[in-house]
């Protein structure tokens, strides 16, 4: 079945370490997105990419980096510059030029200790 | 993109219809109304979307007022598994530069 996979589901890291969250989709979707969600809050856009080798900052890009070397993959690196990295991270994908919305992964819960 | 206003929380009895309202009074003529839901600690799930006409699928019905300034998501027979946060979003067609913006949503609690 086609879908979008995030791994790992839970991730623990020490403060000051960079960490990379994986997001892979086999839906042949053009665009991919990363969101951050804090407890009891909505989703905030970190980065998005609408074509391979190109990506754009969202509302809260500081302290994060991404790459889009393949259409299927959009990894997110949480760097040591992110002041409060503990959160639930969600990856999504979509087809451009349509109105069927996004398909989301199941999320990665990152805890920095 | 137009902003939406939703109640923070709602309760519904199991087996009854859940009617979730959304106000989007500044919606433009070519913006769609989307509904998603998020069960605790999972990714949001697409429910339904519409432009002008009412829509129905296997999950829910979407009723959009004639002036398009508000809409209602209807879960006809709510179950305990429908307990989730429901997001109402308005957006242009998902072309370059257009995003879905998720606000706080409505926390629906279905009770036995």
């Amino acid at each position: 079945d086609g879908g979008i996979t995030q791994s790992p589901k839970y991730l623990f890291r020490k403060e000051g370490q960079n960490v990379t969250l994986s997001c892979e989709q086999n839906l042949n979707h053009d665009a991919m997105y990363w969101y951050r969600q804090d407890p009891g809050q909505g989703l905030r856009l970190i980065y998005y990419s609408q074509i391979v080798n190109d990506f754009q900052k969202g509302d809260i890009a500081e302290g994060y980096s991404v790459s889009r070397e393949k259409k299927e993959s959009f990894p997110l690196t949480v760097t040591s510059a992110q002041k409060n990295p503990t959160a639930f991270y969600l990856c999504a994908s979509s087809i451009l030029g349509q109105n069927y919305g996004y398909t989301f992964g199941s999320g990665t819960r990152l805890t920095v200790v | 993109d137009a902003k939406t206003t939703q109640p923070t929380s709602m309760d519904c009895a199991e087996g009854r219809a859940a009617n979730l309202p959304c106000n989007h009074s500044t919606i433009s003529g070519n913006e769609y109304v989307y509904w998603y839901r998020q069960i605790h600690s999972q990714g949001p799930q697409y429910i339904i979307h519409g432009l002008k006409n009412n829509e129905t699928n296997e999950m829910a019905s979407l009723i959009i007022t004639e002036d398009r300034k508000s809409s209602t998501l209807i879960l006809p027979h709510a179950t305990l598994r429908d307990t989730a946060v429901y997001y109402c979003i308005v957006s242009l067609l998902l072309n370059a530069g257009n995003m879905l913006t998720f606000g706080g949503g409505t926390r629906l609690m279905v009770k036995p």
Side-chain angles (χ1 to χ4, degrees), chain A residues 14-80:
Chain A
K14 290 184 178 180
E15 193 171 344
Q17 288 183 334
N18 291 355
V19 60
T20 298
L21 282 59
S22 170
C23 180
E24 304 278 335
Q25 55 99 358
N26 60 2
L27 300 166
N28 199 32
H29 283 181
D30 310 296
M32 298 184 74
Y33 312 83
W34 274 105
Y35 287 89
R36 169 182 172 136
Q37 187 174 34
D38 292 290
Q41 304 297 311
L43 282 66
R44 291 186 290 168
L45 183 65
I46 305 173
Y47 267 99
Y48 66 97
S49 168
Q50 297 179 321
I51 193 170
V52 173
N53 292 323
D54 187 52
F55 46 83
Q56 306 297 327
K57 292 181 179 180
D59 300 321
I60 55 164
E62 185 175 354
Y64 299 98
S65 66
V66 293
S67 63
R68 187 92 185 273
E69 297 177 359
K70 299 185 300 181
K71 189 176 184 178
E72 303 80 15
S73 179
F74 191 42
L76 173 74
T77 297
V78 184
T79 75
S80 57

